[in-house]
């Protein structure tokens, strides 16, 4: 790895982009400089004709910036919390394909404009209005939008160059699709991650079928059904983020990453490791006294209650936890609150989502987005989607949604299975990359905090005392912040010490 000469620090960085020199300016979606211009519409290959600008597209809803080898993508709808729409997707996809081919583009960084959100989700309010007003035509338009969105998400999941997401602010729904499949996902003190789809009569899409069930234990199922949010460093502890730094240093980090020069023969894994170490240069420490929240007895309760194959069993387990004389008071309170949360969700969404979590473990990335494309089309035909979006997002103040059916008992197994049934000859989603799909995230062991199965392996590999074991795991991650806290939590929950040696339970 080589380093470019250090540049003077930016005096007034805008958001997470460093603007130290006047020649480095944000580029609008229409670029006139020939060195950076994408293919004009007249010469764009037919395969990408669907991504051409359409009447009504905002030319400034995404800004593209060049800083040496870094290419930045800034979602630029701060008043709408950078909610993702078709206009933005039609700009981002061709740029990513352009950057993929360019020898000058080494690192891609995506973030959001404004202080509140990375991306608060897809603009589903407009989709619901369109369906309510135009019926079948509105459903067709909405289905096209989701197809477009999933094409982008799959492109990100299989992107052959380092792709980094700054989860600085609200990261929900469509914003999750733009970030969770990135090999490097950086949380800040402003991160607010959630998948709230069950509350609007939809399902955790954008690759949630892949990402959520592969979180440790049953955390993914818990997050999917309850829409529980992860704030700040909790996104790191849960495995949603791979890094945590303070938002105040994002601009400097962007400038530092622009100074990296990779060797031509460095593969993606090598480049990601270099970037990983570079990010740790900006380690500002963890927030004081903020240990993992989904931990200890709470984590045990989550794994116990959300391990079942039916929503009725999950509700029964929560009811038993809430009424248990032996359960600690905080766990009983959590169980009651969780039951209240589930009662607010669409019963159809809950049942389909739970089935999705179980099936998603078997799907690779290509099948994930194809399956979700068909599931989304089924939800667009279901009354809960328009009713849920209207009640929760369109009406001011928000109202209580009227679900149909209104109870989980009223949702039959046949109704659930119909969401996963693909009719013979039904249109498949055309994916933009081929041959790069996978069953597990390829770099999850190299990046982020150690997973429980890795900690278990180290425990069983050799007899060690607790502090020696923690030191081994911290050293293996080169002192990465959060490793000690994560390992201590896992050991406290999954192991015991016998005669000075850590022994894994079960």
């Amino acid at each position: 790895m080589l380093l470019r000469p250090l540049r003077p620090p930016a005096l007034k960085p805008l958001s997470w982009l460093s603007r130290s020199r006047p020649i480095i300016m944000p580029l609008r979606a229409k670029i006139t400089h020939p060195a950076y211009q994408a293919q004009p519409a007249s010469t764009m290959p037919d395969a990408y004709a669907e991504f051409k600008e359409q009447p009504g597209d905002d030319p400034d809803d995404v800004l593209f910036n060049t800083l040496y080898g870094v290419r930045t993508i800034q979602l630029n709808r701060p008043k709408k919390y950078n909610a993702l729409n078709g206009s933005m997707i039609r700009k981002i996809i061709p740029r990513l394909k352009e950057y993929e081919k360019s020898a000058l583009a080494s690192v891609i960084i995506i973030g959001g404009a404004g202080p509140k959100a990375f991306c608060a989700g897809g603009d589903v309010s407009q989709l619901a209005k369109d369906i309510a007003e135009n019926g079948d035509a509105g459903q067709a338009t909405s289905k096209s939008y989701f197809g477009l969105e999933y094409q982008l998400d799959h492109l990100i999941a299989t992107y052959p160059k380092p792709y980094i997401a700054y989860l600085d602010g609200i990261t929900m729904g469509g914003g999750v699709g733009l970030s969770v499949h990135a090999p490097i996902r950086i949380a800040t003190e402003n991160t607010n991650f959630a998948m709230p789809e069950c509350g609007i009569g939809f399902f955790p899409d954008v690759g949630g079928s892949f990402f959520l069930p592969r979180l440790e234990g049953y955390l993914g199922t818990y997050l999917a059904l309850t829409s529980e949010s992860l704030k700040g460093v909790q996104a790191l502890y849960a495995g949603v983020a791979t890094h945590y730094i303070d938002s105040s240093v994002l601009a400097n980090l962007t400038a530092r990453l622009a100074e990296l020069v990779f060797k031509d023969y460095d593969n993606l894994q090598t480049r990601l490791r270099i970037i990983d170490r570079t990010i740790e240069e900006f380690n500002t420490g963890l927030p004081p006294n903020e240990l993992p929240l989904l931990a200890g007895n709470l984590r045990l309760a989550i794994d116990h209650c959300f391990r079942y194959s039916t929503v009725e069993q999950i509700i029964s387990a929560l009811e038993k936890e809430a009424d248990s004389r032996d359960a600690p008071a905080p766990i009983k309170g959590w169980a009651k609150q969780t039951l209240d949360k589930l009662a607010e969700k669409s019963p159809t969404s809950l049942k389909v989502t739970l089935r999705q979590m179980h099936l998603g473990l078997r799907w690779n990335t290509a099948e994930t987005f194809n399956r979700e494309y068909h599931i989304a089309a089924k939800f667009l035909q279901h009354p809960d989607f328009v009713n849920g979006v209207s009640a929760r997002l369109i009406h001011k103040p928000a109202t209580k949604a009227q679900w149909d059916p209104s109870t989980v008992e009223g949702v039959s197994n046949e109704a659930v299975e119909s969401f996963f049934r693909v009719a013979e000859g039904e249109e498949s989603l055309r994916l933009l990359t081929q041959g790069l799909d996978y069953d597990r995230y390829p770099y999850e062991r190299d990046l982020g905090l150690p997973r429980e199965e890795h900690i278990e392996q180290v425990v069983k590999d050799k007899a060690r005392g607790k502090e020696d074991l923690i030191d081994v795991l911290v050293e293996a991650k080169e002192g990465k912040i959060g490793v000690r806290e994560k390992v201590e939590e896992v050991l406290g929950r999954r192991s015991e010490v016998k005669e000075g040696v850590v022994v894994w339970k079960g």
Side-chain angles (χ1 to χ4, degrees):
M1 177 189 70
L2 302 175
L3 295 180
R4 299 185 187 274
L6 288 171
R7 300 178 294 102
L11 297 179
K12 293 183 179 181
L14 176 61
S15 182
W16 47 275
L17 295 177
S18 179
R19 307 281 180 79
S20 60
R21 302 196 304 176
I23 63 170
I24 301 173
M25 295 295 290
L27 303 175
R28 292 190 176 190
K30 288 184 177 180
I31 299 181
T32 57
H33 193 293
Y36 299 106
Q37 189 172 17
Q39 290 178 297
S42 60
T43 61
M44 184 175 290
D46 291 340
Y48 300 108
E50 64 199 276
F51 308 120
K52 291 190 296 185
E53 181 180 354
Q54 295 185 3
D57 283 1
D58 181 352
D60 296 323
D61 52 14
V62 185
L63 300 178
F64 301 91
N65 200 55
T66 295
L67 187 63
Y68 294 128
V70 163
R71 301 293 182 267
T72 61
I73 302 170
Q74 187 176 40
L75 310 179
N76 191 39
R77 300 179 71 203
K79 292 183 179 179
K80 294 285 188 179
Y81 297 98
N82 298 318
L84 187 68
N85 60 23
S87 170
M88 300 163 82
I89 298 172
R90 283 187 287 272
K91 295 177 180 65
I92 296 172
I93 287 178
R95 284 306 177 99
L96 286 177
K97 297 304 289 185
E98 176 189 347
Y99 297 157
E100 182 181 333
K101 298 174 184 176
S102 172
L104 300 176
S106 299
V107 177
I108 316 301
I109 302 176
I110 190 168
K116 295 182 178 179
F118 163 59
C119 175
D123 199 350
V124 293
S125 296
Q126 185 56 51
L127 302 182
K129 290 177 182 177
D130 197 12
I131 294 172
E133 294 171 2
N134 300 306
D136 291 346
Q139 289 181 13
T141 300
S142 298
K143 182 180 178 181
S144 296
Y145 165 78
F146 283 117
L148 198 63
E149 183 181 22
Y150 300 163
Q151 285 177 311
L152 172 57
D153 295 338
H154 178 264
L155 177 61
I156 291 168
T158 55
Y159 204 66
K161 290 188 176 183
Y163 177 99
I164 302 171
Y166 289 171
L167 284 66
D168 186 32
I170 299 171
T171 304
M172 298 182 184
V176 173
L178 297 176
S179 59
V180 294
H181 308 296
I184 295 180
R185 310 174 296 277
I186 300 178
T188 74
E189 75 281 4
N190 302 318
T191 298
N192 184 1
F193 172 94
M195 293 295 281
E197 287 80 7
C198 284
I200 59 169
F202 203 53
F203 73 109
D205 61 335
V206 298
S209 309
F210 192 89
F211 181 77
L212 289 167
R214 286 166 177 78
L215 292 178
E216 294 172 333
Y218 291 89
L219 283 181
T221 301
Y222 171 66
L223 296 174
L225 296 180
T226 65
S227 306
E228 181 70 18
S229 63
L230 298 171
K231 296 182 179 179
V233 73
Q234 299 304 323
L236 174 70
Y237 292 139
V240 170
T242 57
H243 299 77
Y244 176 87
I245 63 175
D246 193 272
S247 62
S248 63
V249 301
L250 285 176
N252 291 332
L253 172 61
T254 301
R256 179 72 176 88
L257 292 172
E259 293 159 1
L260 300 179
V261 179
F262 303 112
K263 297 173 182 176
D264 290 343
Y265 55 80
D266 285 342
N267 60 20
L268 180 56
Q269 183 177 32
T270 299
R271 296 180 185 215
L272 290 173
R273 285 176 174 171
I274 291 170
I275 293 170
D276 179 41
R277 290 195 292 268
T278 302
I279 295 171
E280 288 302 311
E281 295 174 12
F282 293 83
N283 173 2
T284 53
L286 296 171
N289 304 317
E290 191 167 349
L291 297 174
L293 294 179
L294 302 181
N297 288 332
L298 175 56
R299 173 60 190 283
L300 290 172
I302 289 172
D303 286 351
H304 171 72
C305 293
F306 284 83
R307 61 194 168 110
Y308 295 102
S309 58
T310 71
V311 175
E312 290 89 341
Q313 288 174 307
I314 291 174
I315 291 174
S316 176
L318 287 166
E319 290 173 340
K320 289 179 182 178
E321 204 73 53
D323 296 334
S324 173
R325 294 182 179 181
D326 299 327
I331 300 304
K332 294 174 69 173
W334 165 82
K336 292 176 182 177
Q337 291 175 359
T338 303
L339 285 168
D340 291 340
K341 289 179 180 179
L342 294 179
E344 297 174 351
K345 312 302 182 190
S346 159
T348 299
S349 294
L350 289 177
K351 285 204 164 183
V352 172
T353 296
L354 183 59
R355 183 66 174 147
Q356 171 198 3
M357 293 299 101
H358 292 161
L359 292 175
L361 276 173
R362 310 174 196 169
W363 298 342
N364 68 8
T365 43
E367 186 171 7
T368 290
F369 290 103
N370 258 298
R371 290 280 194 158
E372 290 188 355
Y373 179 59
H374 294 294
I375 297 170
K378 300 287 178 60
F379 267 107
L380 293 175
Q381 299 168 5
H382 196 282
D384 278 6
F385 177 69
V386 171
N387 292 340
V389 173
S390 299
R392 304 308 302 167
L393 301 180
I394 297 176
H395 293 163
K396 303 298 180 183
T399 59
K400 183 178 180 180
Q402 301 300 312
W403 306 122
D404 182 20
S406 60
T407 65
V408 293
E409 293 79 10
V411 183
S412 67
N413 291 337
E414 170 58 26
V416 173
E417 291 303 319
S418 70
F419 281 84
F420 300 91
R421 196 174 294 128
V422 180
E424 186 176 351
E426 191 169 345
E427 175 193 17
S428 296
L429 182 66
R430 184 178 68 84
L431 301 177
L432 304 178
T433 53
Q434 304 293 330
L436 297 176
D437 291 290
Y438 44 81
D439 299 310
R440 294 289 304 231
Y441 288 109
Y443 307 109
E444 66 180 7
R445 194 177 179 99
D446 294 335
L447 307 167
L449 302 184
R451 291 178 60 88
E452 286 190 18
E453 58 262 32
H454 179 209
I455 297 171
E456 177 184 2
Q457 180 182 345
V458 175
V459 169
K460 294 180 176 180
D461 179 59
K462 181 180 178 181
R464 295 183 176 93
K466 181 177 179 180
E467 284 304 315
D468 287 344
L469 182 64
I470 293 173
D471 288 343
V472 167
L473 287 160
V474 171
E475 184 178 352
K477 285 290 184 178
E478 299 181 343
K480 187 182 187 72
I481 64 167
V483 173
R484 174 173 290 275
E485 290 75 10
K486 169 73 181 286
V487 173
E488 287 180 343
E489 189 283 317
V490 172
L491 292 180
R493 176 167 45 85
R494 300 294 306 275
S495 74
E496 56 188 340
V497 177
K498 293 183 178 180
E499 299 180 355
V501 174
V502 176
V503 178
W504 196 259
K505 294 180 182 176

